[in-house]
Amino acid sequence: MADKLKIDIVSDVVCPWCTIGYKRLEKAIQELGIEDKIEIEWQPFELNPNMPAEGQNVIEHITEKYGSTLEQQRASQKHMTEAGEALGFKFDYYDDMRMANTFDAHILLEYAKDFGKQTELKMTLTKAFFSDRKDVSKREVLKEALLEVGLNAEEALAKLDSDNARIEVRNKQDFWKNMGVNSVPTIVFNRKSAVTGAQPVDTFKQVLSELTTN
């Protein structure tokens, strides 16, 4: 594994730019043909750590958090939808869409790492939220995603009631915050350098080329 480029992606399941950023990174990796030289690990970050269990209407939430007008939000959603389309990902925004609490999802992503299924589960949960209008804080939705990627749903869901599993995710969140990560996606290369935001494919290709040929 020593010769692989380790990429940590600090992100949240309900972060649209995280999805776009990852899909662009994935495209860059594929276009360079370096899939076998890359090791990706997803790191937890909650955009809304205090989000209640029932969630909050997305438009209301974005207005409260960022002060964005409805017109600005519609324009942003259109922009993200188009960016997603270009990468083969469907953003399905709708008026009653609700922001969800994602802490449990992050616990399951830690579990999935041990089975080499982290990226698969991450994209399944992201698709559930953005494309399929599902609430990724609900256990039945999480169970569905686990089964879809071939994980032991019963064993995984038991982690949600484990104090150790919860502490591990909190500690990881704190680690990255202490490293200065305060916006996502933050994509870290070999724990030495990082880029933030959904960079263009060509930018990722340039960074990857430099790091995999040195």
Side-chain angles (χ1 to χ4, degrees):
M1 296 298 281
D3 58 342
K4 290 204 174 192
L5 173 64
K6 173 71 185 292
I7 302 178
D8 290 290
I9 307 177
V10 189
S11 84
D12 200 356
V13 175
V14 295
C15 162
W17 289 112
C18 295
T19 304
I20 292 166
Y22 169 68
K23 297 298 281 183
R24 287 176 178 169
L25 174 68
E26 180 185 50
K27 194 167 194 281
I29 291 167
Q30 289 169 349
E31 288 183 6
L32 290 170
I34 55 170
E35 290 94 335
D36 59 336
K37 293 183 180 179
I38 303 292
E39 180 196 349
I40 288 174
E41 185 174 332
W42 295 87
Q43 303 293 353
F45 186 100
E46 287 176 276
L47 285 171
N48 312 289
N50 301 314
M51 184 59 63
E54 69 274 13
Q56 184 184 20
N57 178 275
V58 165
I59 290 168
E60 183 186 300
H61 173 71
I62 300 293
T63 303
E64 264 180 35
K65 190 170 181 179
Y66 304 107
S68 306
T69 65
L70 184 59
E71 290 71 26
Q72 287 169 329
Q73 290 189 57
R74 293 276 189 244
S76 176
Q77 289 175 356
K78 183 172 184 286
H79 182 43
M80 287 183 287
T81 301
E82 288 168 356
E85 266 173 23
L87 297 157
F89 187 87
K90 179 186 175 189
F91 286 102
D92 178 18
Y93 286 101
Y94 56 103
D95 288 346
D96 295 329
M97 188 174 192
R98 297 184 76 76
M99 192 53 77
N101 185 296
T102 56
F103 190 73
D104 284 356
H106 287 299
I107 292 174
L108 297 180
L109 286 166
E110 279 301 308
Y111 171 84
K113 184 176 66 178
D114 294 339
F115 303 92
K117 298 263 188 179
Q118 222 189 5
T119 296
E120 213 179 328
L121 182 61
K122 173 79 176 189
M123 296 317 294
T124 300
L125 290 169
T126 298
K127 179 180 174 291
F129 181 73
F130 283 115
S131 311
D132 304 333
R133 301 190 174 192
K134 290 178 181 173
D135 181 346
V136 291
S137 69
K138 294 200 180 306
R139 292 205 177 189
E140 61 266 29
V141 173
L142 295 171
K143 181 179 180 181
E144 207 174 81
L146 290 162
L147 293 171
E148 194 173 319
V149 302
L151 286 167
N152 182 327
E154 194 177 332
E155 185 179 83
L157 291 171
K159 291 277 185 191
L160 301 182
D161 300 315
S162 156
D163 287 342
N164 287 343
R166 300 182 84 78
I167 289 165
E168 185 184 0
V169 170
R170 293 266 180 244
N171 288 342
K172 287 202 169 193
Q173 288 178 322
D174 290 343
F175 172 82
W176 291 103
K177 278 181 193 160
N178 292 335
M179 292 288 283
V181 174
N182 54 24
S183 67
V184 287
T186 295
I187 297 168
V188 184
F189 302 95
N190 280 340
R191 302 265 167 122
K192 289 178 184 170
S193 59
V195 298
T196 57
Q199 298 292 329
V201 174
D202 285 346
T203 301
F204 281 129
K205 282 172 85 168
Q206 188 180 342
V207 173
L208 291 166
S209 295
E210 287 169 9
L211 292 170
T212 52
T213 51
N214 288 345

